[in-house]
Amino acid sequence: MTGTDMDTLHLVDPSARGLAEAFAAFDPSRQPIDEYRRDLLAAFGQASAADAPTYEARTIPGLAGEPDVRLLIHRPSGPTGPTPAVFFLHASGFIAGNPEMSANANAALAQELGAVVVAGAYRLAPENIYPSALHDAYAGLRWLFANAAALNVDPTRIVIMGESAGGGLAAALALLVRDRAEFAVRAQVLIYPMLDPRTGTASAPATNPATGEFVWTERHNRFAWDALRGHSDASADPATFGPALAHDVSGLPPTFIAVGALDLFLEEDVAYALALSRASVPTELHVYPGGVHGFDAVPGPLQTHYRRDLLAAFARLLAPDTGDAA
């Protein structure tokens, strides 16, 4: 399938067709990485220029011997008692992006949920290979738990959330949190998560000709996973490199997964949801017809449908009297 032919454009929801066509020029495998990052941030900046949100930027210590980690803290107005919290990890293939590009969405989420949203920056590949990003995410989440009282956060109602690469990183973080048992998260919310380094290669468990033509392609995916792997021995702990490689997903928290039907990650996300279900992890999966990668960023009926599902799931996951249903 070639992006220039746009073989699946007729399947794309009308609200997302502009996004599908606009991102055809973005390709980290064919652009200098600095140019790709600059272009991507410019696109997000244009999309979120109005009503720039306020947040507290804070730098916290990383794990022992590792660099400091930058966090953006979004607080809701109004709540007086301890609030729930969302630890958020941004998108962009492990190779680009920053938490500022999701600041508008996270500020809105904080208000909608009455929750503190802490967005963590993490080191990017290829300059920083696995497990740098995962270690930064763990340091940020550990800081949130350690400072819950100062932030007026209920430590029993902390959810981890991520989009795309951030969703894959959130899934890896949930596995690491489970294994280290230093603290426990209430749930994981994975938005079109990037979970499987095999996708787009000859070793992919499945291929789907209706997916991956737009926004994030097989070529993008191979480049990004190779950049994250670098010279590291990812085989030492494959689950925290690519969560789809995990042999044991039991004991993970309740999970919400959302993905578009035309997203390259459809197969791996559905497979991960099934693996979680088979391991008796409460799991909620939504597949949105006509949705390309990043479909939720475009106003329209598809975005409205997704937001309704997401907020309903958060209402259940963050309820003070329950933590055992997705």
Side-chain angles (χ1 to χ4, degrees):
M1 184 185 300
T2 64
T4 54
D5 294 335
M6 295 194 175
D7 298 323
T8 60
L9 186 62
H10 67 288
L11 299 175
V12 177
D13 185 87
S15 66
R17 288 181 184 175
L19 174 72
E21 294 171 315
F23 270 74
F26 292 72
D27 189 342
S29 70
R30 295 181 174 179
Q31 293 176 264
I33 192 67
D34 289 343
E35 177 183 300
Y36 174 76
R37 290 170 178 167
R38 184 174 61 250
D39 290 350
L40 189 72
L41 290 177
F44 274 89
Q46 291 166 6
S48 61
D51 302 320
T54 58
Y55 50 78
E56 177 188 353
R58 186 173 297 197
T59 300
I60 62 139
L63 299 187
E66 301 199 37
D68 291 346
V69 174
R70 191 167 55 85
L71 305 174
L72 304 187
I73 303 171
H74 303 267
R75 291 184 172 89
S77 59
T80 55
T83 70
V86 177
F87 184 73
F88 177 85
L89 295 162
H90 68 79
S92 298
F94 302 110
I95 57 174
N98 59 39
E100 283 83 357
M101 73 185 196
S102 302
N104 274 359
N106 284 334
L109 189 66
Q111 287 301 119
E112 289 168 320
L113 302 180
V116 173
V117 177
V118 178
Y122 52 86
R123 284 171 284 172
L124 301 176
E127 298 92 334
N128 302 281
I129 61 174
Y130 168 84
S132 298
L134 179 61
H135 285 183
D136 292 347
Y138 192 87
L141 182 62
R142 184 174 66 178
W143 179 90
L144 174 55
F145 273 94
N147 291 273
L151 294 167
N152 199 28
V153 161
D154 178 353
T156 69
R157 291 192 290 155
I158 294 177
V159 168
I160 54 177
M161 177 182 183
E163 297 174 345
S164 192
L169 190 54
L173 181 59
L175 288 161
L176 189 60
V177 167
R178 179 200 65 181
D179 294 345
R180 290 194 175 185
E182 187 179 359
F183 40 75
V185 296
R186 170 67 70 90
Q188 57 178 344
V189 174
L190 311 178
I191 311 305
Y192 37 81
M194 182 176 173
L195 301 168
D196 196 334
R198 299 168 296 180
T199 297
T201 73
S203 61
T207 57
N208 185 334
T211 65
E213 183 176 3
F214 299 110
V215 184
W216 191 258
T217 69
E218 291 183 349
R219 187 173 61 249
H220 293 70
N221 209 51
R222 290 191 296 269
F223 177 88
W225 280 111
D226 286 347
L228 182 66
R229 182 184 294 106
H231 57 75
S232 66
D233 183 11
S235 63
D237 188 6
T240 58
F241 176 66
L245 304 178
H247 296 298
D248 177 14
V249 294
S250 62
L252 287 173
T255 302
F256 174 93
I257 299 176
V259 64
L262 306 178
D263 195 316
L264 179 67
F265 300 148
L266 172 68
E267 295 281 345
E268 64 194 67
D269 291 355
V270 171
Y272 198 62
L274 287 171
L276 291 168
S277 178
R278 292 166 184 156
S280 299
V281 175
T283 303
E284 179 176 346
L285 170 69
H286 293 267
V287 177
Y288 294 93
V292 298
H293 195 66
F295 73 90
D296 58 306
V298 183
L302 203 59
Q303 184 194 65
T304 300
H305 185 184
Y306 160 75
R307 293 291 299 176
R308 182 172 63 244
D309 293 338
L310 178 69
L311 294 177
F314 264 122
R316 294 190 297 275
L317 294 168
L318 294 177
D321 58 344
T322 183
D324 51 11

